[in-house]
Amino acid sequence: MKNYPIFFLLMLFSLTTVAQQYAGNWEGKLNIKGRKLTLIFHITPLSDNNYSVTMDIPEQKLFNSNANSVIATDEKIEIKFSAFGINVNGTLDGADKLKSVLEQTGASFQFELKNKGAVTSGKTFNRPQTPKPPYPYCIEDVEFDNSDGSIHFGGTLTYPRGGAKYPTILLITGTGSQDRDENIFDHKPFAILADQFTKAGYAVLRVDDRGIGKTSSNSSQLSITTNELAEDVEAALWFLKMRKEVDTSQLGLLGHSEGGMIAAMVASKRKDINFIILMAAPVTDPLDLAEEQSADFLLSQGVPKSTVNEFRPMARDIITAILSAPDNATALKNASDVFTKWEATHSRKTIRLTTGVKDEKSMKTFIGRLVSQWTTPRNRYFMKLQPADYYKSLSCRVFAVYGEKDFQVNSETNSKLLTQYIDPAKLKIRILSGMNHLFQACKKCTLSEYSDLEQTLAPAFLEVMGVWAKEAVKFD
């Protein structure tokens, strides 16, 4: 399935419990703009009314994804994918069919699921870099609350054996709700980084995002703002400062993608952060980021640069039209006006290659999804942020790493801005050749390749991080 850039999301899905009659492999076809996606649910009974469930979407190379909310009765089942505002509602039609509706950001799709029989295991990935026990260090599952008790967090704390105080790093995940290992396509980059840093003499805390794993949530994922995620980091720092293993004079943050910007947000307001590590962190204005990400994604799909350049102004204008509208009805009208004006002056080939629009119906679908996406509380808040203010206010040391082939956060644009905002004496930047947004050594350097590659983190990236880890702090 081809993805179109303005509403491009890296989707991680989740599922958990249901009722006895739902056991088995359920499979269906979801029709989106004439393109069919296969959805497969593997539902395994554990005990009475308690099941483990995984979901596969082969066309998007998503496999073995776990859920976070399922409500089942004798006839109906509701499955919530809270990380992306997705609900699946099914009604039994006989013993082996579910008449189903999938809803996401205002759009709904009807489809049918059929029970294909006994549960089979999902796709098996080879991820040789994921650490396995026994570990040569201490590892604890930890839990803590935020200051008002409204959010309960679950995470993993690792630290060297020896009973001393250690330099400490808090890991912050990127956009979209993820578990403590930042699991994507069975890649667990944060587990690998925690392992490397702990072996190098650090204590490391990694935490489940709101609504994922052992961390609770008091709102939908599409309503959680960047500021609330920064508050979650503050709660984790408070927890760390209570731990006897933590050297509070050498406390740092590591953030990937949006997590890097969150690290800068938090560190800019505190004096107790000794360093931050930015992995593919966005620095540019959010509207510039959205435009550039859309363009770079199209280029990664082989769309000619001249065609992409025709698309870029419209991408920017249509997002601006949506965000400036007082309500969704006005946003739909304004966005349609922008698109219609652009459409009138560009070839059908350009329109199809950049947006997928081929007729009136697909245009309305395209615009409707854009409005649904950009008007969520989360995205409205994010688009108002001024990242430059955070980076300019940093007083700690900053180590920034970018992948040269990253089409989500452009390495050249964002690293250049860092040199303008941060004291050069406190800044170190590395742009790693041939690496993507996940810091894999990519070949095609496309979205689909994230799951194809066995490698989770390139050895050259880990070497760079290892060298920095040895030089950055003082060890007793």
Side-chain angles (χ1 to χ4, degrees), residues 37-85:
L37 289 179
T38 305
L39 275 67
I40 304 170
F41 300 89
H42 306 282
I43 305 177
T44 306
L46 301 176
S47 60
D48 290 343
N49 296 325
N50 186 20
Y51 293 70
S52 67
V53 184
T54 63
M55 183 173 74
D56 302 339
I57 307 179
E59 292 86 350
Q60 293 193 338
K61 299 188 178 181
L62 294 174
F63 300 95
N64 309 327
S65 300
N66 294 311
N68 66 329
S69 175
V70 177
I71 300 172
T73 65
D74 288 343
E75 296 181 353
K76 295 184 178 182
I77 181 170
E78 180 183 9
I79 307 170
K80 294 184 179 181
F81 305 91
S82 60
F84 298 95

Short mmCIF file of all heavy atoms in Angstrom, two decimals, residues 37-85:
data_model
loop_
_atom_site.label_atom_id
_atom_site.label_comp_id
_atom_site.label_asym_id
_atom_site.label_seq_id
_atom_site.Cartn_x
_atom_site.Cartn_y
_atom_site.Cartn_z
N LEU A 37 -6.29 -3.69 2.73
CA LEU A 37 -5.37 -4.09 3.80
C LEU A 37 -5.91 -5.35 4.46
O LEU A 37 -7.10 -5.41 4.80
CB LEU A 37 -5.23 -2.99 4.84
CG LEU A 37 -4.48 -1.72 4.48
CD1 LEU A 37 -4.50 -0.76 5.67
CD2 LEU A 37 -3.05 -2.03 4.08
N THR A 38 -5.06 -6.31 4.68
CA THR A 38 -5.43 -7.52 5.40
C THR A 38 -5.20 -7.32 6.89
O THR A 38 -4.11 -6.94 7.30
CB THR A 38 -4.61 -8.72 4.91
OG1 THR A 38 -4.75 -8.85 3.50
CG2 THR A 38 -5.06 -10.00 5.60
N LEU A 39 -6.24 -7.55 7.68
CA LEU A 39 -6.13 -7.48 9.14
C LEU A 39 -6.30 -8.88 9.69
O LEU A 39 -7.28 -9.57 9.37
CB LEU A 39 -7.18 -6.56 9.74
CG LEU A 39 -6.86 -5.05 9.81
CD1 LEU A 39 -6.80 -4.48 8.40
CD2 LEU A 39 -7.89 -4.31 10.64
N ILE A 40 -5.35 -9.33 10.50
CA ILE A 40 -5.40 -10.65 11.11
C ILE A 40 -5.25 -10.50 12.62
O ILE A 40 -4.29 -9.91 13.09
CB ILE A 40 -4.29 -11.57 10.58
CG1 ILE A 40 -4.35 -11.66 9.05
CG2 ILE A 40 -4.40 -12.95 11.20
CD1 ILE A 40 -3.15 -12.36 8.43
N PHE A 41 -6.21 -11.04 13.37
CA PHE A 41 -6.17 -11.01 14.82
C PHE A 41 -5.92 -12.43 15.34
O PHE A 41 -6.72 -13.33 15.08
CB PHE A 41 -7.47 -10.47 15.41
CG PHE A 41 -7.80 -9.08 14.96
CD1 PHE A 41 -8.53 -8.85 13.80
CD2 PHE A 41 -7.37 -7.99 15.69
CE1 PHE A 41 -8.83 -7.56 13.38
CE2 PHE A 41 -7.66 -6.70 15.29
CZ PHE A 41 -8.38 -6.49 14.13
N HIS A 42 -4.84 -12.63 16.07
CA HIS A 42 -4.54 -13.91 16.70
C HIS A 42 -4.99 -13.82 18.15
O HIS A 42 -4.38 -13.11 18.95
CB HIS A 42 -3.05 -14.21 16.64
CG HIS A 42 -2.46 -14.16 15.26
ND1 HIS A 42 -2.61 -15.17 14.34
CD2 HIS A 42 -1.72 -13.21 14.64
CE1 HIS A 42 -1.98 -14.86 13.22
NE2 HIS A 42 -1.44 -13.66 13.38
N ILE A 43 -6.06 -14.52 18.49
CA ILE A 43 -6.66 -14.43 19.83
C ILE A 43 -6.45 -15.75 20.55
O ILE A 43 -7.02 -16.78 20.18
CB ILE A 43 -8.15 -14.07 19.75
CG1 ILE A 43 -8.34 -12.78 18.94
CG2 ILE A 43 -8.75 -13.93 21.15
CD1 ILE A 43 -9.78 -12.38 18.74
N THR A 44 -5.62 -15.72 21.60
CA THR A 44 -5.24 -16.94 22.33
C THR A 44 -5.81 -16.92 23.74
O THR A 44 -5.55 -15.97 24.49
CB THR A 44 -3.71 -17.06 22.42
OG1 THR A 44 -3.14 -16.99 21.11
CG2 THR A 44 -3.30 -18.36 23.09
N PRO A 45 -6.64 -17.92 24.12
CA PRO A 45 -7.20 -17.94 25.49
C PRO A 45 -6.12 -18.24 26.52
O PRO A 45 -5.29 -19.12 26.36
CB PRO A 45 -8.23 -19.07 25.42
CG PRO A 45 -7.79 -19.94 24.30
CD PRO A 45 -7.12 -19.06 23.30
N LEU A 46 -6.13 -17.46 27.61
CA LEU A 46 -5.22 -17.68 28.73
C LEU A 46 -5.96 -18.26 29.93
O LEU A 46 -5.46 -19.10 30.64
CB LEU A 46 -4.54 -16.37 29.13
CG LEU A 46 -3.72 -15.67 28.04
CD1 LEU A 46 -3.20 -14.34 28.57
CD2 LEU A 46 -2.57 -16.55 27.60
N SER A 47 -7.18 -17.73 30.16
CA SER A 47 -8.04 -18.20 31.24
C SER A 47 -9.44 -17.72 30.91
O SER A 47 -9.67 -17.16 29.85
CB SER A 47 -7.57 -17.65 32.60
OG SER A 47 -7.60 -16.24 32.60
N ASP A 48 -10.41 -17.93 31.82
CA ASP A 48 -11.78 -17.50 31.55
C ASP A 48 -11.83 -16.01 31.23
O ASP A 48 -11.40 -15.17 32.03
CB ASP A 48 -12.67 -17.79 32.76
CG ASP A 48 -12.90 -19.28 32.94
OD1 ASP A 48 -12.64 -20.04 31.98
OD2 ASP A 48 -13.32 -19.68 34.05
N ASN A 49 -12.38 -15.70 30.05
CA ASN A 49 -12.55 -14.30 29.61
C ASN A 49 -11.24 -13.51 29.63
O ASN A 49 -11.25 -12.31 29.82
CB ASN A 49 -13.60 -13.59 30.47
CG ASN A 49 -14.97 -14.23 30.31
OD1 ASN A 49 -15.31 -14.68 29.21
ND2 ASN A 49 -15.74 -14.25 31.38
N ASN A 50 -10.14 -14.20 29.45
CA ASN A 50 -8.85 -13.53 29.45
C ASN A 50 -8.00 -14.11 28.33
O ASN A 50 -7.74 -15.32 28.29
CB ASN A 50 -8.15 -13.74 30.80
CG ASN A 50 -6.87 -12.93 30.90
OD1 ASN A 50 -6.68 -11.97 30.15
ND2 ASN A 50 -6.00 -13.32 31.80
N TYR A 51 -7.61 -13.25 27.40
CA TYR A 51 -6.91 -13.70 26.21
C TYR A 51 -5.71 -12.81 25.93
O TYR A 51 -5.70 -11.64 26.28
CB TYR A 51 -7.83 -13.64 24.97
CG TYR A 51 -8.98 -14.60 24.98
CD1 TYR A 51 -10.04 -14.43 25.86
CD2 TYR A 51 -9.02 -15.66 24.10
CE1 TYR A 51 -11.11 -15.30 25.87
CE2 TYR A 51 -10.09 -16.54 24.08
CZ TYR A 51 -11.14 -16.36 24.97
OH TYR A 51 -12.20 -17.24 24.97
N SER A 52 -4.74 -13.37 25.24
CA SER A 52 -3.69 -12.54 24.63
C SER A 52 -4.03 -12.41 23.15
O SER A 52 -4.51 -13.38 22.53
CB SER A 52 -2.31 -13.17 24.80
OG SER A 52 -2.22 -14.37 24.07
N VAL A 53 -3.81 -11.24 22.60
CA VAL A 53 -4.20 -10.98 21.22
C VAL A 53 -3.08 -10.24 20.51
O VAL A 53 -2.51 -9.29 21.06
CB VAL A 53 -5.49 -10.14 21.14
CG1 VAL A 53 -5.94 -9.96 19.70
CG2 VAL A 53 -6.59 -10.77 21.97
N THR A 54 -2.77 -10.68 19.32
CA THR A 54 -1.85 -9.93 18.47
C THR A 54 -2.52 -9.65 17.14
O THR A 54 -3.45 -10.37 16.74
CB THR A 54 -0.53 -10.69 18.23
OG1 THR A 54 -0.80 -11.90 17.53
CG2 THR A 54 0.19 -10.97 19.53
N MET A 55 -2.07 -8.61 16.48
CA MET A 55 -2.64 -8.24 15.19
C MET A 55 -1.54 -8.10 14.15
O MET A 55 -0.46 -7.59 14.42
CB MET A 55 -3.40 -6.91 15.30
CG MET A 55 -4.08 -6.51 13.98
SD MET A 55 -5.15 -5.06 14.14
CE MET A 55 -3.91 -3.78 14.26
N ASP A 56 -1.84 -8.57 12.94
CA ASP A 56 -0.94 -8.45 11.80
C ASP A 56 -1.61 -7.63 10.71
O ASP A 56 -2.83 -7.76 10.48
CB ASP A 56 -0.59 -9.81 11.20
CG ASP A 56 0.05 -10.78 12.18
OD1 ASP A 56 0.59 -10.29 13.20
OD2 ASP A 56 0.02 -11.98 11.92
N ILE A 57 -0.83 -6.77 10.04
CA ILE A 57 -1.26 -6.11 8.80
C ILE A 57 -0.13 -6.33 7.80
O ILE A 57 0.81 -5.53 7.70
CB ILE A 57 -1.52 -4.61 9.01
CG1 ILE A 57 -2.49 -4.37 10.17
CG2 ILE A 57 -2.09 -3.97 7.73
CD1 ILE A 57 -2.77 -2.91 10.45
N PRO A 58 -0.16 -7.45 7.09
CA PRO A 58 0.98 -7.83 6.25
C PRO A 58 1.40 -6.77 5.23
O PRO A 58 2.60 -6.56 5.00
CB PRO A 58 0.49 -9.10 5.55
CG PRO A 58 -0.54 -9.66 6.49
CD PRO A 58 -1.22 -8.47 7.08
N GLU A 59 0.43 -6.08 4.61
CA GLU A 59 0.78 -5.09 3.59
C GLU A 59 1.60 -3.94 4.15
O GLU A 59 2.37 -3.31 3.43
CB GLU A 59 -0.49 -4.54 2.91
CG GLU A 59 -1.25 -5.54 2.06
CD GLU A 59 -2.24 -6.36 2.87
OE1 GLU A 59 -2.21 -6.29 4.12
OE2 GLU A 59 -3.04 -7.08 2.26
N GLN A 60 1.42 -3.64 5.44
CA GLN A 60 2.20 -2.59 6.07
C GLN A 60 3.36 -3.17 6.88
O GLN A 60 4.05 -2.44 7.59
CB GLN A 60 1.31 -1.74 6.99
CG GLN A 60 0.28 -0.93 6.20
CD GLN A 60 -0.38 0.13 7.06
OE1 GLN A 60 -0.40 0.04 8.28
NE2 GLN A 60 -0.93 1.13 6.40
N LYS A 61 3.55 -4.47 6.74
CA LYS A 61 4.65 -5.17 7.41
C LYS A 61 4.60 -4.96 8.92
O LYS A 61 5.61 -4.79 9.59
CB LYS A 61 5.99 -4.75 6.83
CG LYS A 61 6.11 -5.08 5.34
CD LYS A 61 7.48 -4.85 4.79
CE LYS A 61 7.54 -5.25 3.32
NZ LYS A 61 8.88 -5.07 2.75
N LEU A 62 3.38 -4.96 9.44
CA LEU A 62 3.16 -4.89 10.89
C LEU A 62 2.72 -6.26 11.36
O LEU A 62 1.75 -6.82 10.85
CB LEU A 62 2.09 -3.85 11.23
CG LEU A 62 2.44 -2.40 10.94
CD1 LEU A 62 1.23 -1.52 11.18
CD2 LEU A 62 3.60 -1.94 11.79
N PHE A 63 3.42 -6.81 12.34
CA PHE A 63 3.13 -8.14 12.83
C PHE A 63 3.27 -8.18 14.35
O PHE A 63 4.02 -7.42 14.94
CB PHE A 63 4.10 -9.17 12.22
CG PHE A 63 4.04 -9.26 10.73
CD1 PHE A 63 4.93 -8.53 9.96
CD2 PHE A 63 3.10 -10.06 10.09
CE1 PHE A 63 4.89 -8.59 8.57
CE2 PHE A 63 3.05 -10.13 8.71
CZ PHE A 63 3.96 -9.39 7.94
N ASN A 64 2.51 -9.08 14.97
CA ASN A 64 2.65 -9.39 16.39
C ASN A 64 2.44 -8.17 17.28
O ASN A 64 3.09 -8.01 18.30
CB ASN A 64 4.05 -9.98 16.68
CG ASN A 64 4.39 -11.14 15.77
OD1 ASN A 64 3.52 -11.89 15.36
ND2 ASN A 64 5.67 -11.26 15.43
N SER A 65 1.51 -7.29 16.89
CA SER A 65 1.27 -6.08 17.66
C SER A 65 0.23 -6.36 18.75
O SER A 65 -0.79 -7.00 18.50
CB SER A 65 0.79 -4.95 16.75
OG SER A 65 1.76 -4.68 15.76
N ASN A 66 0.48 -5.86 19.95
CA ASN A 66 -0.37 -6.15 21.11
C ASN A 66 -1.35 -5.03 21.40
O ASN A 66 -1.07 -3.87 21.16
CB ASN A 66 0.50 -6.38 22.34
CG ASN A 66 1.34 -7.61 22.22
OD1 ASN A 66 0.83 -8.66 21.88
ND2 ASN A 66 2.64 -7.49 22.49
N ALA A 67 -2.50 -5.40 22.01
CA ALA A 67 -3.55 -4.43 22.28
C ALA A 67 -3.51 -3.84 23.67
O ALA A 67 -2.78 -4.32 24.51
CB ALA A 67 -4.89 -5.10 22.11
N ASN A 68 -4.33 -2.79 23.94
CA ASN A 68 -4.37 -2.24 25.29
C ASN A 68 -5.77 -2.12 25.86
O ASN A 68 -5.91 -1.78 27.02
CB ASN A 68 -3.67 -0.88 25.35
CG ASN A 68 -4.40 0.17 24.56
OD1 ASN A 68 -5.03 -0.14 23.56
ND2 ASN A 68 -4.31 1.42 24.97
N SER A 69 -6.82 -2.39 25.08
CA SER A 69 -8.17 -2.33 25.65
C SER A 69 -9.13 -3.14 24.78
O SER A 69 -9.24 -2.90 23.58
CB SER A 69 -8.66 -0.88 25.75
OG SER A 69 -10.00 -0.84 26.19
N VAL A 70 -9.82 -4.09 25.42
CA VAL A 70 -10.84 -4.89 24.72
C VAL A 70 -12.01 -5.09 25.67
O VAL A 70 -11.83 -5.48 26.83
CB VAL A 70 -10.29 -6.26 24.29
CG1 VAL A 70 -11.39 -7.10 23.64
CG2 VAL A 70 -9.13 -6.09 23.33
N ILE A 71 -13.21 -4.81 25.18
CA ILE A 71 -14.43 -5.07 25.96
C ILE A 71 -15.30 -6.02 25.14
O ILE A 71 -15.65 -5.72 23.99
CB ILE A 71 -15.19 -3.76 26.24
CG1 ILE A 71 -14.32 -2.80 27.03
CG2 ILE A 71 -16.50 -4.06 27.00
CD1 ILE A 71 -14.92 -1.42 27.20
N ALA A 72 -15.64 -7.18 25.72
CA ALA A 72 -16.39 -8.19 24.98
C ALA A 72 -17.64 -8.60 25.75
O ALA A 72 -17.63 -8.72 26.97
CB ALA A 72 -15.52 -9.40 24.72
N THR A 73 -18.72 -8.80 25.00
CA THR A 73 -19.94 -9.39 25.54
C THR A 73 -20.23 -10.65 24.72
O THR A 73 -19.42 -11.06 23.90
CB THR A 73 -21.12 -8.40 25.42
OG1 THR A 73 -21.40 -8.17 24.03
CG2 THR A 73 -20.79 -7.08 26.10
N ASP A 74 -21.40 -11.23 24.93
CA ASP A 74 -21.73 -12.45 24.20
C ASP A 74 -21.83 -12.21 22.70
O ASP A 74 -21.60 -13.11 21.90
CB ASP A 74 -23.06 -13.03 24.70
CG ASP A 74 -22.92 -13.64 26.09
OD1 ASP A 74 -21.77 -13.89 26.51
OD2 ASP A 74 -23.96 -13.84 26.74
N GLU A 75 -22.18 -11.00 22.30
CA GLU A 75 -22.43 -10.75 20.88
C GLU A 75 -21.52 -9.69 20.27
O GLU A 75 -21.37 -9.64 19.06
CB GLU A 75 -23.89 -10.31 20.66
CG GLU A 75 -24.90 -11.38 21.03
CD GLU A 75 -26.32 -10.92 20.78
OE1 GLU A 75 -26.51 -9.72 20.46
OE2 GLU A 75 -27.25 -11.74 20.91
N LYS A 76 -20.92 -8.83 21.12
CA LYS A 76 -20.15 -7.72 20.58
C LYS A 76 -18.77 -7.62 21.21
O LYS A 76 -18.58 -8.01 22.36
CB LYS A 76 -20.91 -6.40 20.77
CG LYS A 76 -22.21 -6.33 19.99
CD LYS A 76 -22.87 -4.95 20.14
CE LYS A 76 -24.14 -4.88 19.32
NZ LYS A 76 -24.78 -3.54 19.40
N ILE A 77 -17.87 -7.06 20.45
CA ILE A 77 -16.51 -6.84 20.94
C ILE A 77 -16.05 -5.45 20.49
O ILE A 77 -16.29 -5.05 19.35
CB ILE A 77 -15.55 -7.93 20.43
CG1 ILE A 77 -14.14 -7.71 20.98
CG2 ILE A 77 -15.53 -8.00 18.91
CD1 ILE A 77 -13.20 -8.87 20.72
N GLU A 78 -15.45 -4.72 21.41
CA GLU A 78 -14.89 -3.40 21.10
C GLU A 78 -13.41 -3.43 21.44
O GLU A 78 -13.02 -3.70 22.57
CB GLU A 78 -15.58 -2.29 21.89
CG GLU A 78 -15.00 -0.91 21.59
CD GLU A 78 -15.64 0.18 22.42
OE1 GLU A 78 -16.41 -0.16 23.35
OE2 GLU A 78 -15.36 1.36 22.16
N ILE A 79 -12.59 -3.14 20.46
CA ILE A 79 -11.13 -3.16 20.63
C ILE A 79 -10.62 -1.75 20.39
O ILE A 79 -10.88 -1.17 19.33
CB ILE A 79 -10.46 -4.14 19.66
CG1 ILE A 79 -11.09 -5.53 19.77
CG2 ILE A 79 -8.96 -4.22 19.91
CD1 ILE A 79 -10.65 -6.49 18.70
N LYS A 80 -9.92 -1.20 21.35
CA LYS A 80 -9.41 0.16 21.24
C LYS A 80 -7.90 0.17 21.05
O LYS A 80 -7.17 -0.39 21.85
CB LYS A 80 -9.77 0.98 22.49
CG LYS A 80 -11.26 1.21 22.66
CD LYS A 80 -11.54 2.11 23.86
CE LYS A 80 -13.03 2.37 24.00
NZ LYS A 80 -13.32 3.26 25.15
N PHE A 81 -7.48 0.81 19.98
CA PHE A 81 -6.06 1.03 19.72
C PHE A 81 -5.77 2.47 20.13
O PHE A 81 -5.70 3.37 19.30
CB PHE A 81 -5.74 0.81 18.24
CG PHE A 81 -6.17 -0.53 17.73
CD1 PHE A 81 -7.41 -0.71 17.18
CD2 PHE A 81 -5.32 -1.62 17.82
CE1 PHE A 81 -7.81 -1.94 16.70
CE2 PHE A 81 -5.70 -2.86 17.36
CZ PHE A 81 -6.96 -3.02 16.80
N SER A 82 -5.62 2.68 21.43
CA SER A 82 -5.58 4.05 21.94
C SER A 82 -4.37 4.83 21.48
O SER A 82 -4.40 6.06 21.43
CB SER A 82 -5.61 4.03 23.48
OG SER A 82 -4.52 3.32 24.01
N ALA A 83 -3.30 4.15 21.11
CA ALA A 83 -2.11 4.86 20.67
C ALA A 83 -2.37 5.72 19.44
O ALA A 83 -1.71 6.72 19.23
CB ALA A 83 -0.98 3.86 20.38
N PHE A 84 -3.36 5.32 18.64
CA PHE A 84 -3.64 6.07 17.41
C PHE A 84 -5.10 6.44 17.26
O PHE A 84 -5.55 6.75 16.16
CB PHE A 84 -3.17 5.25 16.20
CG PHE A 84 -1.70 5.00 16.22
CD1 PHE A 84 -1.19 3.83 16.74
CD2 PHE A 84 -0.81 5.97 15.77
CE1 PHE A 84 0.18 3.61 16.80
CE2 PHE A 84 0.55 5.76 15.84
CZ PHE A 84 1.05 4.58 16.34
N GLY A 85 -5.86 6.40 18.35
CA GLY A 85 -7.26 6.79 18.28
C GLY A 85 -8.08 5.87 17.41
O GLY A 85 -9.04 6.30 16.76
#
